[in-house]
Amino acid sequence: MNDYQLYIDGEFCEASDSGRFDTTNPATGEVWATAPAATEADVDRAVRAAHRAMTTGEWASMTATMRGRLLYRLADLVAENAHWLGEVETTDSGKLAAETRAQSAYVADYYRYYAGLADKIQGDTLPIDKPDLHVFTTRDPIGVVAAIVPWNAEMFLTATKVGPALAAGNAVVIKASEIAPAPLLEFARVLDQVGFPPGVVNLLTGFGEPCGRALTSHPMVSKVAFTGGVDTARQIVASTAHNLAPVSLELGGKSPILVFDDADLDGAVNGAVAGNFGASGQSCVAGSRVLVQVGIHDRFIAELVRRSEAIRIGDPLADDSQMGPLATRAQRDRIEAVVAESIAQGAVLHTGGSRPEGLDAGWYYRPTVLGCPNQEVTCTRVELFGPVMSVVSFETEADAVAMANDTEFGLAAGIFSSDASRVHRVARSVRAGIVWVNTYRAISPIAPFGGFGNSGSGREAGVDAIGEFTRTKTVWINTSEQPMANPFTIR
Ligand code: NAD
């Protein structure tokens, strides 16, 4: 049993009231580690440590180039520990080790990207419209950043916040999810080896109440970077009424994958499988509404069912598994209920819809394909965060675009077509922050990531992310030989 500790002000410690919670291996259903449940007092200590680190001492006076060097060192340490970090993530979340190991290794590239950007964050000299004034801008760190992440890709979602936040000179308090917190607790051990001054990065584990609420409403927090569900986002926005901290939100989705008659069938099926059964469908960008043109529909379904039934479900640590369990029992219960409700509303079960045989321990669920008569059926409207694909057919390109945009969300969209003009038309018309054409689920530190509508606001990754963690300062310098004159007129 691993009994982890919080990481506050450069030291590992217990929660102030010694409270702890269990964390479970979804592949076995057994508790394998415990983590501290941070209290309001722990939150206050972490935020004050971050504030002190930002405003006084070594971090506050460090050059941007030096900050970049520390981020390069963090990247190297993440790369060295990627295998181990990936396995811990798999044990705690049930996500396939093949994916968590590779993703942890790739996370190092996110830190490298922001290490390189640290000393390229610069302002402008302004050609001001008045004599005897030299006016320039700087991009200042915004302040203490609260970085709140869910359980489904923690190393990655932490890097997209911590990388740009530190590059810009901020200090950070990370709050891990109460579901599968272990990878970030291991990450704290990596952070501790980097050489950041104490308080620059702090890591808390705990629940939305009190830990998340206390963090997001803390008067010394200047920015909240959140990834998670829409209901939590609403609570966070309400909490930030206290400190008026700007909030960036990376939320869920019900992303469409549009498959046109002229698409390459194999490529489109691969896209739908990757978009729905990769990570057991527990992905914010899951392409869980697959809209298929009538001419290719029946062939698409036949191939999709064949491919779905060949997926090897099993131990997420095993090299030959292609799909692991869901992260929680509650998650599987909800999916079972929505699938049953959708079938009662007229959806046709093409495959799946049940637990796999022989995997009784753990929270496994078969890859499921539901044919839906329209987009009123529940499974086409709610984010399921599981291996459930809803397929709806369409007649024309205009129908496809209208159906794709008929959602409260707007995170991602996939387009499968061999017609270049159509691809451009549809990419322009689809309301989504990320559009993948003849591919799906590709990401990069260089490419901005984020959504429209209830999928959130703000952008992570890419140069854009620096803007989320800086504020422009404008400096006016009187260059005339005369002292400032009449105080009652504006110059
Ligand atoms: P969640 O919203 O339940 O929890 C996310 C985090 O918020 C956790 O750390 C939780 O403890 C914390 N939290 C809960 N209540 C809080 C409060 N009142 N104040 C502050 N923090 C609070 O999300 P989840 O179920 O763990 O994760 C799944 C969701 O995350 C899905 O909707 C998924 O689509 C979304 N997600 C989005 C992206 C993206 O980049 N757009 C990426 C991954 C996941």
Side-chain angles (χ1 to χ4, degrees):
M1 182 79 78
N2 279 295
D3 294 319
Y4 287 104
Q5 292 187 303
L6 305 173
Y7 184 60
I8 300 176
D9 206 8
E11 287 181 358
F12 291 94
C13 58
E14 295 296 322
S16 64
D17 64 358
S18 305
R20 291 195 151 264
F21 62 94
D22 293 338
T23 176
T24 307
N25 179 342
T28 63
E30 285 168 10
V31 173
W32 78 286
T34 71
T39 62
E40 284 194 38
D42 298 317
V43 169
D44 187 56
R45 211 156 64 79
V47 173
R48 283 179 190 281
H51 190 263
R52 194 204 58 237
M54 263 209 71
T55 47
T56 59
E58 210 187 336
W59 185 248
S61 55
M62 198 176 274
T63 62
T65 307
M66 189 56 210
R67 287 200 304 270
R69 278 193 203 123
L70 287 173
L71 278 167
Y72 277 121
R73 170 130 177 84
L74 173 59
D76 290 345
L77 285 166
V78 168
E80 277 168 33
N81 289 281
H83 193 89
W84 169 241
L85 289 167
E87 288 198 356
V88 171
E89 188 168 348
T90 294
T91 307
D92 215 21
S93 71
K95 203 167 166 181
L96 222 55
E99 179 159 351
T100 55
R101 287 189 204 120
Q103 199 172 56
S104 293
Y106 195 38
V107 157
D109 282 1
Y110 280 73
Y111 288 113
R112 275 192 197 106
Y113 179 80
Y114 287 106
L117 269 185
D119 57 9
K120 291 150 200 86
I121 301 169
Q122 58 195 38
D124 288 318
T125 303
L126 305 183
I128 208 73
D129 56 342
K130 295 175 170 62
D132 299 327
L133 281 167
H134 173 54
V135 184
F136 63 92
T137 60
T138 56
R139 302 285 300 278
D140 289 10
I142 192 164
V144 174
V145 173
I148 303 181
V149 293
W151 50 268
N152 69 315
E154 294 158 84
M155 289 294 296
F156 165 66
L157 297 168
T158 299
T160 56
K161 298 167 180 60
V162 170
L166 294 186
N170 301 287
V172 185
V173 179
I174 307 165
K175 185 207 156 315
S177 171
E178 61 275 36
I179 302 166
L184 287 184
L185 289 156
E186 292 288 343
F187 176 61
R189 294 175 179 171
V190 173
L191 279 170
D192 191 52
Q193 296 169 44
V194 176
F196 289 117
V200 168
V201 196
N202 307 272
L203 185 108
L204 302 174
T205 49
F207 296 87
E209 179 58 42
C211 176
R213 195 235 337 121
L215 180 58
T216 49
S217 58
H218 196 289
M220 284 178 171
V221 164
S222 298
K223 158 82 190 173
V224 177
F226 172 72
T227 302
V230 177
D231 291 344
T232 311
R234 293 201 168 98
Q235 290 173 29
I236 287 175
V237 170
S239 291
T240 54
H242 295 275
N243 52 19
L244 299 179
V247 184
S248 45
L249 302 169
E250 294 290 342
L251 311 179
K254 194 72 202 173
S255 299
I257 294 181
L258 288 70
V259 180
F260 290 91
D261 284 348
D262 56 22
D264 176 90
L265 181 66
D266 273 351
V269 171
N270 276 333
V273 168
N276 283 275
F277 304 143
S280 302
Q282 300 170 114
S283 165
C284 54
V285 293
S288 52
R289 283 187 299 141
V290 181
L291 311 178
V292 187
Q293 202 161 14
V294 283
I296 199 175
H297 179 268
D298 291 355
R299 282 186 299 133
F300 180 85
I301 291 285
E303 182 58 15
L304 185 60
V305 168
R306 191 185 71 74
R307 294 285 306 281
S308 304
E309 291 179 351
I311 290 173
R312 292 187 298 276
I313 310 171
D315 178 1
L317 279 170
D319 287 339
D320 60 350
S321 294
Q322 294 176 317
M323 233 180 78
L326 297 167
T328 65
R329 184 196 297 267
Q331 177 92 338
R332 186 176 63 181
D333 290 349
R334 176 167 175 266
I335 286 166
E336 287 179 334
V338 172
V339 169
E341 181 183 330
S342 302
I343 291 170
Q345 291 167 336
V348 175
L349 182 66
H350 289 300
T351 186
S354 60
R355 302 173 188 187
E357 283 173 21
L359 288 167
D360 299 330
W363 303 310
Y364 293 90
Y365 194 74
R366 289 172 58 206
T368 297
V369 178
L370 290 167
C372 300
N374 53 48
Q375 292 200 105
E376 299 308 314
V377 179
T378 304
C379 62
T380 65
R381 303 217 72 85
V382 301
E383 184 186 44
L384 275 167
F385 230 56
V388 179
M389 183 189 315
S390 303
V391 183
V392 194
S393 68
F394 68 86
E395 301 266 349
T396 67
E397 185 182 304
D399 293 343
V401 170
M403 287 165 72
N405 289 340
D406 179 18
T407 173
E408 68 186 272
F409 296 109
L411 187 53
I415 303 168
F416 285 85
S417 168
S418 55
D419 178 338
S421 307
R422 162 175 282 160
V423 159
H424 280 280
R425 277 194 308 274
V426 176
R428 196 171 52 220
S429 308
V430 167
R431 194 162 175 268
I434 308 146
V435 179
W436 286 298
V437 177
N438 294 325
T439 185
Y440 206 80
R441 250 184 123 214
I443 53 163
S444 162
I446 301 163
F449 186 100
F452 288 76
N454 282 359
S455 289
S457 57
R459 289 293 176 268
E460 296 197 329
V463 178
D464 292 25
I466 295 292
E468 305 279 345
F469 297 99
T470 52
R471 277 290 174 266
T472 299
K473 177 184 283 169
T474 310
V475 181
W476 299 71
I477 299 178
N478 182 358
T479 55
S480 81
E481 289 178 30
Q482 304 306 316
M484 188 175 167
N486 187 345
F488 300 106
T489 57
I490 293 174
R491 262 189 95 186

